Amino acid sequence: MTNHTKTTIPTDRPPANALRVDKWSDMPTGTAPARYEITGEDGQTTTITLAKGNRIILDALIERPVYCASPVRISDRVCILRREYGVPITKEMYFNDSATDRAKFGVYFLNGAVRRIDGGAA
């Protein structure tokens, strides 16, 4: 499975529904093991099982894009999901975050077909 790590700097704004995470309680709550199906660009499907923090991050990304910078270290989990599980997560860069005064900031997106197929509540 291809590791999608595209980083671009568009001139527009991130989606209005992008999740800004200040604490773990800002994200989905399920931590029990759950299975996910990933469909690659070649049409091949892979099934993975995730629990705890990795599951929380993937569930959040399935719901909507997620801002990269956060006190709960989202980037660490994104790296694990990309490298160890082949989850197609991309990062897009933007300019001038009015909420944090950062000159540049990133937002993570799922770049492919990923869905939970069983396990736990949303």
Side-chain angles (χ1 to χ4, degrees), residues 37-76:
E37 181 180 84
I38 302 168
T39 304
E41 292 175 1
D42 59 1
Q44 297 287 342
T45 59
T46 304
T47 301
I48 62 173
T49 301
L50 298 174
K52 301 181 182 176
N54 292 332
R55 175 187 166 178
I56 290 169
I57 298 297
L58 187 54
D59 283 346
L61 284 164
I62 288 172
E63 289 178 12
R64 56 189 166 160
V66 177
Y67 280 83
C68 297
S70 90
V72 298
R73 301 183 65 153
I74 290 171
S75 297
D76 292 350

Side-chain angles (χ1 to χ4, degrees), residues 46-122:
T46 304
T47 301
I48 62 173
T49 301
L50 298 174
K52 301 181 182 176
N54 292 332
R55 175 187 166 178
I56 290 169
I57 298 297
L58 187 54
D59 283 346
L61 284 164
I62 288 172
E63 289 178 12
R64 56 189 166 160
V66 177
Y67 280 83
C68 297
S70 90
V72 298
R73 301 183 65 153
I74 290 171
S75 297
D76 292 350
R77 297 290 180 160
V78 166
C79 287
I80 291 168
L81 291 169
R82 283 179 178 155
R83 291 183 187 145
E84 295 180 21
Y85 296 98
V87 178
I89 300 171
T90 59
K91 176 174 66 175
E92 293 191 10
M93 299 299 295
Y94 299 89
F95 291 110
N96 303 322
D97 185 5
S98 60
T100 63
D101 290 328
R102 288 192 177 116
K104 284 192 318 187
F105 63 100
V107 176
Y108 290 121
F109 294 83
L110 278 180
N111 186 30
V114 180
R115 66 184 185 96
R116 192 168 70 214
I117 52 178
D118 73 1

